[in-house]
Amino acid sequence: MNNKKILVAPSLLSADFANLQQDIKRVEAAGADWLHVDVMDGHFVPNITIGPVVVRSVRNITKLPLDVHLMISDPAKYVEPFIKAGSDLITFHIEAIKDPEAVIRLIKSFKKRAGVSIKPKTDTSSIKAILDKVDLVLVMSVEPGFGGQEFIESAVPKIKELRKVYKGDISVDGGINDKNAPGVIEAGANILVAGNYVFGAKDMNDAIRRLRA
Ligand code: DX5
Ligand code: ZN
């Protein structure tokens, strides 16, 4: 059972970057709760995406919470620029760093929410020691780096395990669609990140509604 309100966070990675404002207005009108911003450095992951300058421009045109997912090797270095650009929540990867508590303290020093993410092959035990310090856990259901990949089922038991011991937000990211959404919600996730399923839909309202249903 999942008693939390289900939020949908469309991933801008699947938006049309030449028409970002238009796409953001479309997901806003379709009922998006948060905007998920995928930051990649070409080092922690093989792809390169966007930096603080883009986040700043996005901040200027929307009031939706900006859920910034740092898939980068040195998150501590970029926490401040991304927060100054207007991020509301910063999620870093446990695989990227040695001292997660320092990054969490840094994020919280700006009075922003902190999240930690685990890749598909990373065990939930790796974040056990910091669960009481983070506001959100993001469970990756694809290998980070690219949108449009297929959902990895082993994310579901990980969400279940986490939900038993963690009361904060659990977000799931990668390959989410109307077929796998009920299973991840049942397992205990309350935030669904979705890129291709939302931005590729003919009817975005309907797509977001189906994810929540
Ligand atoms: C993958 C990103 C995801 C991804 C989601 O590295 O973190 O946010 O773009 O996109 P879909 O829903 O298309 O897998
Ligand atoms: Zn993401």
Side-chain angles (χ1 to χ4, degrees), residues 44 69-71 91-96 115-119 122 126-127 136-140 144 173:
F44 181 73
H69 179 192
L70 299 181
M71 286 160 278
T91 296
F92 63 89
H93 268 267
I94 194 70
E95 302 88 354
V116 65
S117 181
I118 51 174
K119 299 204 279 185
T122 304
S126 64
I127 54 171
L136 174 144
V137 175
L138 185 157
V139 177
M140 292 292 311
D173 183 7

Side-chain angles (χ1 to χ4, degrees), residues 28-191:
E28 265 182 8
D33 298 289
W34 292 2
L35 282 181
H36 184 82
V37 182
D38 285 308
V39 176
M40 306 186 189
D41 65 353
H43 189 254
F44 181 73
V45 288
N47 199 4
I48 299 180
T49 55
I50 69 177
V53 286
V54 177
V55 172
R56 183 176 300 279
S57 297
V58 169
R59 177 74 294 160
N60 287 338
I61 61 155
T62 184
K63 290 201 163 56
L64 287 181
L66 299 182
D67 166 29
V68 173
H69 179 192
L70 299 181
M71 286 160 278
I72 65 178
S73 296
D74 191 357
K77 186 172 172 187
Y78 294 98
V79 162
E80 182 165 355
F82 276 103
I83 286 177
K84 295 233 159 111
S87 310
D88 296 285
L89 183 143
I90 301 269
T91 296
F92 63 89
H93 268 267
I94 194 70
E95 302 88 354
I97 49 167
K98 288 202 178 67
D99 188 358
E101 292 196 27
V103 182
I104 296 166
R105 273 198 303 274
L106 180 61
I107 298 168
K108 301 239 167 175
S109 72
F110 295 100
K111 308 234 174 328
K112 299 294 172 187
R113 303 181 77 221
V116 65
S117 181
I118 51 174
K119 299 204 279 185
K121 294 192 185 91
T122 304
D123 203 81
T124 54
S125 60
S126 64
I127 54 171
K128 218 172 166 188
I130 54 165
L131 279 182
D132 60 338
K133 297 179 178 68
V134 290
D135 302 291
L136 174 144
V137 175
L138 185 157
V139 177
M140 292 292 311
S141 43
V142 298
E143 283 300 331
F146 300 93
Q149 303 181 75
E150 202 167 320
F151 179 77
I152 299 172
E153 283 291 338
S154 57
V156 176
K158 282 162 82 174
I159 295 168
K160 240 182 229 162
E161 259 171 54
L162 271 169
R163 187 45 92 203
K164 278 187 203 146
V165 294
Y166 182 65
K167 297 213 163 25
D169 286 331
I170 299 180
S171 167
V172 56
D173 183 7
I176 294 295
N177 57 38
D178 59 342
K179 306 279 182 300
N180 51 41
V184 296
I185 293 171
E186 176 67 31
N190 63 301
I191 294 162

